[in-house]
């Protein structure tokens, strides 16, 4: 939760969108893969609940239920599910492809949450929403997936003979 809060405060506004680039997504997928699906999801649910209760833990010090109902709320509300999916798919068996698939699927869940909430708020077409809520973030999020992949591989204990 603390790492998520720090990740939220590293926020870079992007032109044309109300959603800044942060390190939150990196910590979401790491939580799922390193802690496991249920503890990772619980950590992310705790983070969202803390922010909903008014603690300034969201990007740029945002907090409260109105923040969760705004343009960034869908991404935030999807974070517990994203951590669960990342951890569930990645598993603990040390296979690189499975790890990469888990990290990528977790990131995709965040996008689905963001696009869904923006659709509820704006009723724009799917193409317009993807252009607004996904495309500006893809390059950075691919980099976050790769960083997470390297970090997880470096902390997982290798069994003899592997």
């Amino acid at each position: 939760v603390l790492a998520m809060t720090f990740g939220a405060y590293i926020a870079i506004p992007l032109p044309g969108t109300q959603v800044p680039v942060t390190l939150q997504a990196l910590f979401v997928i790491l939580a799922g893969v390193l802690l496991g699906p249920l503890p990772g999801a619980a950590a992310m649910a705790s983070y969202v609940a803390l922010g909903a209760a008014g603690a300034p833990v969201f990007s740029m010090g945002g907090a409260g239920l109105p923040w969760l109902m705004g343009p960034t709320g869908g991404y935030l509300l999807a974070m517990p599910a994203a951590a669960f999916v990342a951890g569930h798919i990645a598993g603990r068996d040390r296979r690189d492809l499975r790890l990469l698939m888990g990290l990528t699927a977790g990131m995709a869940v965040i996008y689905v949450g963001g696009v869904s909430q923006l659709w509820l708020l704006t009723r724009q077409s799917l193409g317009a929403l993807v252009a607004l809520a996904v495309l500006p973030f893809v390059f950075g999020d691919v980099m976050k997936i790769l960083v997470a992949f390297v970090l997880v591989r470096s902390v997982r204990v290798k069994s003899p003979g592997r």
Side-chain angles (χ1 to χ4, degrees):
V1 173
L2 186 58
M4 279 292 290
T5 302
F6 287 130
Y9 275 82
I10 300 170
I12 303 167
L14 287 180
T17 178
Q18 295 177 0
V19 180
V21 171
T22 71
L23 292 180
Q24 290 169 294
L26 172 65
F27 292 115
V28 170
I29 58 178
L30 281 173
V33 170
L34 292 175
L35 299 176
L38 291 176
M44 295 305 100
S46 297
Y47 169 76
V48 172
L50 191 61
V57 296
F58 298 145
S59 65
M60 300 177 290
L65 289 176
W67 194 269
L68 290 176
M69 299 302 121
T72 62
Y75 298 99
L76 293 166
L77 293 169
M79 289 178 176
F84 180 85
V85 166
H88 180 71
I89 293 174
R92 298 256 181 222
D93 64 3
R94 297 181 194 92
R95 291 190 305 196
D96 288 348
L97 181 58
R98 189 168 172 182
L99 171 60
L100 194 55
M101 288 172 50
L103 296 168
T104 303
M107 194 67 74
V109 169
I110 296 171
Y111 284 138
V112 169
V115 167
S116 298
Q117 178 129 337
L118 285 175
W119 180 81
L120 289 171
L121 293 172
T122 67
R123 303 293 181 173
Q124 292 179 321
S125 71
L126 181 59
L129 289 170
V130 168
L132 179 68
V134 176
L135 294 181
F137 306 100
V138 169
F139 177 77
D141 288 340
V142 167
M143 295 297 108
K144 291 171 198 168
I145 290 167
L146 294 175
V147 165
F149 179 78
V150 170
L151 287 173
V152 171
R153 287 195 73 230
S154 71
V155 299
R156 283 188 169 172
V157 177
K158 301 273 188 205
S159 62
R162 279 200 155 182

